[in-house]
Amino acid sequence: MARAQSQSLSHPGCAATTRPQAAGVSRMNHSAAKRGGGDVMLEARGMSKRFGEHTVLQDINLSIQRSEVVCLIGPSGSGKSTLLRSLAFLENYDDGEVFVEGELLGYDRASDGRRVRSRPSRLSDVRRNMGMVFQQFNLWPHLSVLENVMEALLRVRGMKKDAARRLALATLEKVGLAEKADAWPNRLSGGQQQRVAIARSLAMSPAIMLFDEPTSALDPELVGEVLQVMRQLAEEGMTMVVVTHEMGFAARVADRVLFLDQGHIVEQGPPMTLFKNPQSPRLAQFLGNYLERNSLFEAAPALNRVDD
Ligand SMILES: Nc1ncnc2c1ncn2[C@@H]1O[C@H](COP(=O)(O)OP(=O)(O)OP(=O)(O)O)[C@@H](O)[C@H]1O
Ligand SMILES: [Mg+2]
């Protein structure tokens, strides 16, 4: 993936954020708002994706409400990353539609009804409020931590240097790394680097954050500090889609868990319903593999670290 994409999905034409900051808004309020319904942030309708002859995603229907936290789980190769990337049009889906805050993503309708690829400026505009964090943090090694966070603010948002510096520092503070502002990325632990990557995305004021296994490249003892930042974001009302193998995190933080297998959403629901009472043999088998490795409903180490 292009480095610029990993840093921000925004573009210069959207200097002003269209969403009030989620910070300080309690999750309870958002949940109440959610019950009111109708505020769909991200939606896939009949979406399919093929790589050559291989259908990787088939007829995906998915609707994500404002402030909802959805975790995607499933075996390796089931299509989790492809789904996440298709939701941001980092992969161009083949059939169906994806809507971001009600706007069709990636395609436009021609006057004769045909679907045509959006121009890059239109694509950037539709996903202006999306941020994405990947397994690999992809920080610029030649820029300080602060400069890494400032970079897209200057280059994409066109902010003045002082304003970008203030915002970058405030965002680093939010992820607990203000004191590392002048450090070089390679002097940071993996967990700290991933928190910088989250800050870099967060500084762009996204309304939706997509995470693809953000902790899977980390040493086990560094996982908790990243999950803690993500949990804080969820509590502040950020809309989040998270591909994860951290079942403790999904159990504690997700509103809904989706189980993907062979490109289909096989099962979905509140985490504890899904985890305690899987309906499909495939999910039962998948969870069984995890339960063998760590005790999901007792003292799963990652879950404890989230609570620290
Ligand atoms: N660029 C590509 N070209 C061809 N096939 C691809 C490409 N990207 C993914 N695939 C295939 O699509 C399927 C789904 O891959 P994907 O990376 O979405 O799985 P995943 O669920 O994220 O797996 P993992 O848990 O290992 O990350 C796999 O069979 C994979 O080999
Ligand atoms: Mg993947």
Side-chain angles (χ1 to χ4, degrees):
M1 125 136 10
R3 193 170 198 118
Q5 283 176 323
S6 77
Q7 294 182 359
S8 167
L9 300 175
S10 295
H11 82 121
C14 60
T17 175
T18 56
R19 179 186 193 246
Q21 285 288 330
V25 181
S26 82
R27 185 144 193 88
M28 200 176 288
N29 291 342
H30 280 287
S31 297
K34 260 189 264 175
R35 282 196 295 277
D39 200 359
V40 176
M41 297 293 281
L42 192 54
E43 187 177 12
R45 291 188 200 152
M47 193 255 283
S48 300
K49 169 70 189 169
R50 290 178 288 279
F51 287 114
E53 297 292 296
H54 182 194
T55 299
V56 175
L57 296 174
Q58 185 127 42
D59 195 23
I60 299 289
N61 291 288
L62 175 62
S63 181
I64 294 166
Q65 303 282 315
R66 182 180 297 277
S67 295
E68 196 177 12
V69 178
V70 173
C71 284
L72 298 180
I73 62 170
S76 181
S78 58
K80 303 179 299 295
S81 295
T82 306
L83 174 53
L84 204 73
R85 292 169 59 79
S86 298
L87 290 174
F89 211 72
L90 299 176
E91 298 288 355
N92 50 332
Y93 53 92
D94 295 301
D95 305 314
E97 291 162 320
V98 173
F99 295 91
V100 180
E101 297 183 90
E103 295 184 81
L104 182 62
L105 175 70
Y107 297 102
D108 296 307
R109 290 272 167 223
S111 51
D112 60 2
R114 275 182 315 114
R115 204 174 73 158
V116 291
R117 279 284 293 267
S118 295
R119 291 202 317 274
S121 61
R122 168 69 185 159
L123 177 61
S124 301
D125 196 34
V126 174
R127 60 184 183 190
R128 63 192 173 275
N129 288 337
M130 287 180 131
M132 197 151 175
V133 174
F134 302 94
Q135 186 178 349
Q136 301 302 336
F137 342 115
N138 293 329
L139 300 176
W140 294 110
H142 62 289
L143 298 180
S144 71
V145 162
L146 183 68
E147 288 165 342
N148 264 281
V149 180
M150 287 172 65
E151 214 252 345
L153 297 174
L154 298 170
R155 186 179 49 81
V156 179
R157 283 286 162 83
M159 284 178 79
K160 293 256 166 45
K161 207 165 179 184
D162 275 357
R165 180 183 296 275
R166 278 196 300 276
L167 178 54
L169 269 175
T171 315
L172 283 170
E173 180 111 38
K174 193 173 166 62
V175 301
L177 286 175
E179 80 280 8
K180 298 287 184 189
D182 295 324
W184 297 110
N186 65 6
R187 292 302 180 92
L188 267 48
S189 71
Q192 289 171 333
Q193 289 186 53
Q194 188 60 295
R195 282 150 64 199
V196 175
I198 293 173
R200 176 180 57 186
S201 198
L202 214 51
M204 302 294 282
S205 303
I208 308 167
M209 292 276 286
L210 308 179
F211 294 87
D212 192 357
E213 298 201 40
T215 58
S216 58
L218 301 177
D219 290 341
E221 71 272 20
L222 302 178
V223 167
E225 66 189 51
V226 174
L227 295 182
Q228 181 62 48
V229 166
M230 292 170 64
R231 184 181 189 175
Q232 182 192 330
L233 282 180
E235 285 172 353
E236 290 172 355
M238 179 65 77
T239 308
M240 292 164 58
V241 187
V242 185
V243 175
T244 187
H245 291 290
E246 294 291 340
M247 296 301 170
F249 175 82
R252 188 57 61 93
V253 179
D255 295 302
R256 185 159 45 124
V257 172
L258 264 65
F259 173 62
L260 234 72
D261 190 32
Q262 296 184 9
H264 295 268
I265 299 174
V266 175
E267 211 170 322
Q268 60 177 304
M272 293 323 266
T273 307
L274 222 74
F275 291 163
K276 286 192 166 167
N277 193 18
Q279 298 298 301
S280 62
R282 190 67 189 91
L283 176 56
Q285 181 194 16
F286 177 78
L287 292 173
N289 291 340
Y290 272 92
L291 287 167
E292 275 174 25
R293 270 182 269 148
N294 57 36
S295 176
L296 179 58
F297 303 114
E298 292 162 17
L303 184 55
N304 287 344
R305 286 197 297 271
V306 170
D307 278 337
D308 282 347

